[in-house]
Amino acid sequence: MPTMQLLNWLPDSPIVIFTILLLVSLTLPPWFERLRLPGLVGLLLAGVVLGEHGLGVLDSQSETMKLLSDIGKIYLMFVAGLEIDLAQFKSKKDRAIGFGISTFIFPMLAGIAIGLWFGFGWNAAILIGSLLASHTLLAYPIVQRLGLIDTEPIIISVGATIFTSISALLVLAICVSVQAGEFSLYSLSWQLGSLAIYSAVVLFGFDWAGKAYFKRNGSEEGNQFLFVLLSVFLASVGAQIIQIDQIVGAFLAGLAVNDAVGNSLVKDKVEFVGSVLFIPFFFIAMGLFLNVPVFISTLTTNFTLPLAIVLGLIISKFIAAWAVKLLYGYSRDETLLIWSLSLPQVATTLAAALVGFNVGLLSEEVFNSVIVLMLATSILGPLLTQKYAPRLLPLKAAKSSFNINPTIKGGENSQEAEKTLPFTVVVPIYNPDTQRYLMEMAALVARHEEGSIVPLAIATHAQVHMDEPEFQKALKQSRLLLKRSEEVGQEFNVKTEPVLRIDGDVATGITRTACEKDASLIVMGWSENTSLRARLFGTVIDSVFWSSHCPVAVMRLLQEPVEIRQILVLVKTIAPRTIRTIRFAQLLASTNKAAVTLLHICPAQTSPQQIAIMETQLTEILSVEGSSINSNIVVRATNDVVGTILEQAKGFDLVVLRSQRRRTAGGLAVSSVTHEVMQNLRCSVVMFGEPQV
């Protein structure tokens, strides 16, 4: 391929291609997100500029680009299947399937009509229809932030993704077979039969194998990570063996290992690697296929095709949402929210469009129109979701006491009764510099709840011999730390039960001890670990957050807990976990007669009515019978989240925030402000997290 003279000095090497892809993936998406555009737009544009119609640096036909593009495409479909919440789908499966059929059939018919109207054959027209039939939950983080993920409109939208994606991929497989001239009644029957057997093997076999493997290798995160990768690529190879596209296998593999992986650290790492590495490569590769002159011509001289496809998608998805409104009796706002969630066309649509284009089934004009469709819906869908989702927020929030204790349910005379556990705080101690403040905080909370504290020292030892000098030194240090912790407990007149544990893994030792002691809370110290292993497989704090059975409070205390008088709580969503975080802050405030301020930051475009609803909800949450805690509510409408938090935190002794897990949307990671806030706050911080349930 021709290359600009200024770039001739670049070696013709796969390492150079990989380096360029990394540079683009790192730099461009943040710039476009600042412009309120999806980061993938920047990746597509980079592919156009670096491709054969631009600088000619990257060649779409090179073996390196083909390999990286295929991996990215497979990973994109795998993550799409992995992110679907199967538990939510099962809870409303009948209505989810109903909406899935509706939002598949109407766009499918619209796409077929558009294809035939513009002179395409039946096979190409059917494929165009299947491209419109699926959807990507690009706006899911918006409803998650608002605490609406457990509402029925969200559940059926998530569930419909399974039906539409599988159906669209099945149509793709049949259309590709017809294009190759291998279609007949016999071949169709054979393909459907082999696909059914293959799907059963992947969905049930991989699910069983995953659960068995994870059960036997509970602490081997590296091996679990490799098992997940092997599953997705093994499923993709199996799909090619039965002559269907590999993205079908990747999506089924995502659904299959979904249940086994659950909400674990391994899932987070798998999504993270794909989101920051391979999936961006796929979008760059998509840009390489864009012929700029043809693309411009499509938008100018033949603009009716992309216009018809975009309008056909928007109208048909609206009809599908309105149909379920009539069928299930949803309100107008619920219907509009369902419609907005089903608009974005990213994962399945782009992957299938590229397959159809490569086999010659779709023309460049159609391929370019699909790119326009992706750009239009990935912007319009989230904007509409942002508008309609807040209207579903309930006007009242549930009240509860300060108690954050777990409960035990037991049956007696066929009736369930709840028994509250004694309040126990487990405090892992390993740093003499932070030990006292942590013990003081734990003692204050335990004394308020008339409970006890369990100082925990873990001596790590992976060898057989217990008489090694280094290990004996660690035991001596642990006993000294426990003795000091007992002294703090005596100062505060709190029952103290020191525990010395020998374990090969610190996080496992903490969570197992907490479970054995029926702990109500784990109090840990904050540590900044930037090692390579910590980045790949998480820190001790990450592992405890993910595997603990009870709430975890990670603290960076810069002053004695007894001196804390002003507490700021960051409230991102209105959800049960958020309410329990507020209760935890109120519990801390009650021990010191401190004041609590709730801070909620909403997007700059939030209406005054929506702000008023949020203030009403927060007021209801703060209302606890018998409480005399001084409290306040601050709501700020701004897009500068970090800056606003840091400004509002001035004058506070302690900031309480809830741990957030990084999620992906359409394959691209959604940024979190938690780390940046922790780095820049100049006061004490508590990061409150709960077990994954």
Side-chain angles (χ1 to χ4, degrees), residues 526 545 552 554 568-571 581 584 645 654-660 673-675 677-678 681 685-689:
W526 170 263
F545 262 131
V552 182
V554 179
L568 179 67
V569 185
L570 306 184
V571 179
T581 303
F584 173 75
I645 292 174
L654 175 69
V655 173
V656 178
L657 44 83
R658 189 166 69 87
S659 68
Q660 296 291 326
V673 302
T674 302
H675 181 73
V677 169
M678 291 285 289
L681 279 174
V685 181
V686 172
M687 186 166 64
F688 186 77

Side-chain angles (χ1 to χ4, degrees), residues 402-407 420-424 449 520 551:
F402 292 154
N403 192 13
I404 57 173
N405 291 13
T407 56
T420 302
L421 293 170
F423 197 95
T424 304
E449 295 295 295
S520 310

Side-chain angles (χ1 to χ4, degrees), residues 101-111 133 312 315-317 319-321 323:
I101 294 173
S102 176
T103 199
F104 180 84
I105 293 296
F106 287 106
M108 180 81 175
L109 295 176
I315 295 172
S316 61
K317 288 290 185 182
I319 295 173

Side-chain angles (χ1 to χ4, degrees), residues 14 61 90 104 148-149 212 228 255 259 319 333 411 442 488 492 532 589 636 667:
Q61 300 303 316
K90 292 175 182 176
F104 180 84
L148 296 174
I149 58 175
V228 173
L255 292 177
D259 194 26
I319 295 173
D333 289 334
V488 177
F492 286 83
L532 177 61
R636 293 287 181 267

Side-chain angles (χ1 to χ4, degrees), residues 16 85 154 248 250 349 375 411 487 523 601 603 611 626 648 658 681:
V16 174
D85 193 326
I154 312 304
V248 179
T349 303
L375 295 175
E487 295 172 355
V523 171
I601 300 176
I611 292 176
Q648 292 292 323
R658 189 166 69 87
L681 279 174

Side-chain angles (χ1 to χ4, degrees), residues 478-648:
S478 296
R479 292 190 179 102
L480 179 60
L481 291 174
L482 290 176
K483 183 178 180 181
R484 292 176 180 173
S485 68
E486 277 190 284
E487 295 172 355
V488 177
Q490 291 173 358
E491 282 184 40
F492 286 83
N493 195 26
V494 177
K495 182 182 178 182
T496 307
E497 303 176 20
V499 172
L500 174 60
R501 188 183 188 107
I502 300 173
D503 207 306
D505 181 76
V506 174
T508 302
I510 294 172
T511 55
R512 288 179 178 174
T513 301
C515 189
E516 291 165 1
K517 296 294 182 179
D518 285 333
S520 310
L521 178 68
I522 298 175
V523 171
M524 300 178 64
W526 170 263
S527 63
E528 190 69 41
N529 193 336
T530 58
S531 66
L532 177 61
R533 187 184 186 283
R535 294 187 179 207
L536 288 177
F537 300 110
T539 62
V540 172
I541 294 174
D542 296 328
S543 299
V544 173
F545 262 131
W546 282 98
S547 55
S548 171
H549 79 288
C550 65
V552 182
V554 179
M555 303 186 178
R556 186 188 67 190
L557 300 174
L558 305 182
Q559 65 186 113
E560 286 196 64
V562 294
E563 297 176 356
I564 294 174
R565 292 293 180 267
Q566 295 290 334
I567 300 176
L568 179 67
V569 185
L570 306 184
V571 179
K572 188 175 183 181
T573 66
I574 299 298
R577 290 186 177 183
T578 304
I579 296 174
R580 286 190 289 271
T581 303
I582 296 173
R583 295 288 174 257
F584 173 75
Q586 289 177 308
L587 173 60
L588 295 182
S590 182
T591 63
N592 279 0
K593 303 301 180 184
V596 173
T597 298
L598 304 186
L599 172 62
H600 173 71
I601 300 176
C602 52
Q605 62 270 26
T606 305
S607 67
Q609 293 81 4
Q610 294 170 4
I611 292 176
I613 291 174
M614 178 60 69
E615 290 176 342
T616 302
Q617 289 183 298
L618 295 179
T619 301
E620 291 287 336
I621 292 173
L622 284 173
S623 301
V624 179
E625 294 181 6
S627 171
S628 59
I629 296 175
N630 184 19
S631 56
N632 187 30
I633 296 172
V634 177
V635 178
R636 293 287 181 267
T638 176
N639 292 324
D640 182 14
V641 178
V642 174
T644 304
I645 292 174
L646 297 178
E647 179 65 27
Q648 292 292 323

